[in-house]
Amino acid sequence: MRPHGFAGGCGAGCGRRGGRGCDVAARAAPAGGCRGGIAIGGGTSTVCAATGILAAGFSVRWTKENRSSGCWRHDKDQCGSAPAHGTSAIMSVYWKDIETDAGRWFGLALECREDDGGHRKPALRLESGHNARIRLVQDRADGGEPVTRFWATPLSDYYGVHLLRSDAPVESPVPVSALDSAVVERHAALPQPQRLASWSRVFAQALGEGPASFLHAGLWMFIGVRPLADAWKFEAGKLRLNHWHWPISGVRDALRADPVFFIDWGGQHPIDQLLNLRAPSPPDDGRVKWWRKKAREGALPPILLWRLDCLQAYVIVDGHDRLQAALLEDRPPDFLVACSAYEYPIADEPITQQAILASFQRHADEFALGIPGRKAIATDSLNSTLISAFDDRPIVVPKTYAWASRRPESQWLAEVEARLAELGRSELFCEFDERY
């Protein structure tokens, strides 16, 4: 079954009161992929096929240095759900650094291709059912019934989302061995500008080797997000001047013990919140203690997030204990935001381009004649305007995919009702049922 994309989710403005709401009914979406503009190396990598909603667009500048691109190869069968007809699916993964026009590292781009041209379900995936009933599910290693990580459904007026975690025990999508002591120490020795870029490669490759990857065929971005000067505020900054800056909100409150949560799109609370997929560990847990030590040393690996625009939020895929350690030590961490994407071509606008050139020429002529009030245009302003008007690089638009589910709505409601009863919160079922 091919993936289905949620409509709506158009970045920072979607779902706010007074704006258009998010339509989260599943509908057909293209398989994605990268078409043109990317220098591709050779080699293959075996990973799971995975999942994907619409956020703000941005353009990509592909770096040309050999060190900024490559590929991986793993000789293993596909992890996650079994391919059709019992065959093994091989996915080739090619990576490329993304830089801003000023040369700052912005993130890592991955192009994933299944060798047989397929588009299989990943082990960790969103499912979209009738009446906007959403699940995040993760396949079991033994091939049993997938584990539900959360149930979610938007309000009927699209002013928010009801979410219910299962807190079921599952394997982390990133193997523990990928973040062993030697790897952590090696990255701690890197200069800060290189550290997050190097970690992006580690996490991307680890997902290919892990038990529950969400990578699927198509184009993916791993975007680096660092704390701002105001320590507990986070954003990636803008790849281009007129593009989204990838803010992350609610980091201090992200590790919620309560598995029932309402994501408010009505303007009273910020969107782009950070959400946990499991309950926080006890503060005296051994892993939390070890990560606290690394946080004090300034060696804490970044926390891996997945952008889900059906929630207008980020979920923690790997790093719950690391975030808890950072909070306990009051040391703001770095984040890596994973999102699937597609390329949107830019149409030429010759009339606008010629009008801008004519305006600049007229201004230059009047300045040369000494007309009062005419000043030289600053070079940065001139360049910014010309780049904006003539830049024909395609916009790479992040877009989350869900997989259409044939399960009846009654089954989704029964699972939610049972989970709420288990928590002693049955009075909340009507809110999920009626979507209010």
Side-chain angles (χ1 to χ4, degrees), residues 27-308:
R27 68 179 188 181
C34 203
R35 301 174 297 279
I38 306 177
I40 299 297
T44 61
S45 170
T46 305
V47 300
C48 307
T51 47
I53 300 184
L54 189 61
F58 55 87
S59 296
V60 173
R61 174 177 181 265
W62 300 97
T63 56
K64 298 181 175 62
E65 298 81 6
N66 291 334
R67 63 176 175 80
S68 300
S69 62
C71 52
W72 297 295
R73 182 180 187 85
H74 307 291
D75 296 322
K76 53 181 281 192
D77 289 342
Q78 177 189 11
C79 54
S81 55
H85 310 298
T87 60
S88 294
I90 304 299
M91 182 179 285
S92 301
V93 180
Y94 307 91
W95 60 267
K96 194 82 172 175
D97 279 322
I98 308 170
E99 291 184 354
T100 65
D101 289 335
R104 177 178 65 86
W105 185 85
F106 185 82
L108 189 72
L110 301 179
E111 187 187 11
C112 304
R113 305 176 188 169
E114 289 192 25
D115 288 2
D116 62 0
H119 206 117
R120 293 174 175 82
K121 290 183 180 180
L124 180 63
R125 62 188 177 274
L126 283 172
E127 290 185 353
S128 172
H130 175 66
N131 199 20
R133 306 306 191 180
I134 303 167
R135 291 198 309 162
L136 180 68
V137 300
Q138 181 170 329
D139 287 340
R140 297 179 186 271
D142 60 7
E145 183 69 16
V147 177
T148 299
R149 303 295 301 273
F150 68 65
W151 299 266
T153 192
L155 302 189
S156 57
D157 58 8
Y158 299 107
Y159 282 167
V161 179
H162 290 297
L163 185 141
L164 174 63
R165 295 196 322 260
S166 71
D167 287 346
V170 292
E171 293 184 86
S172 172
V174 177
V176 175
S177 59
L179 303 178
D180 63 21
S181 180
V183 175
V184 172
E185 295 303 322
R186 184 164 61 249
H187 282 80
L190 293 174
Q192 187 57 252
Q194 300 177 17
R195 191 179 302 176
L196 195 53
S198 182
W199 273 123
S200 70
R201 294 158 171 73
V202 171
F203 278 95
Q205 188 169 10
L207 281 172
E209 299 170 342
S213 176
F214 51 80
L215 296 178
H216 63 70
L219 182 62
W220 284 82
M221 301 291 171
F222 281 59
I223 298 168
V225 179
R226 304 205 63 235
L228 301 177
D230 186 352
W232 286 92
K233 290 185 178 180
F234 301 83
E235 66 175 49
K238 297 183 178 182
L239 184 60
R240 300 282 303 283
L241 291 176
N242 58 340
H243 295 146
W244 199 34
H245 52 283
W246 292 89
I248 301 176
S249 304
V251 174
R252 285 190 180 274
D253 302 319
L255 298 179
R256 301 168 183 84
D258 189 350
V260 183
F261 185 67
F262 177 67
I263 304 171
D264 186 359
W265 289 348
Q268 298 179 26
H269 301 281
I271 57 175
D272 308 317
Q273 292 191 70
L274 183 57
L275 307 176
N276 54 330
L277 289 181
R278 66 168 175 82
S281 301
D284 59 354
D285 180 85
R287 291 291 294 176
V288 174
K289 287 182 177 180
W290 192 73
W291 287 127
R292 290 186 70 172
K293 178 176 181 290
K294 294 303 161 188
R296 290 193 297 270
E297 295 171 355
L300 195 67
I303 295 152
L304 180 63
L305 311 180
W306 184 10
R307 174 73 186 184
L308 300 180

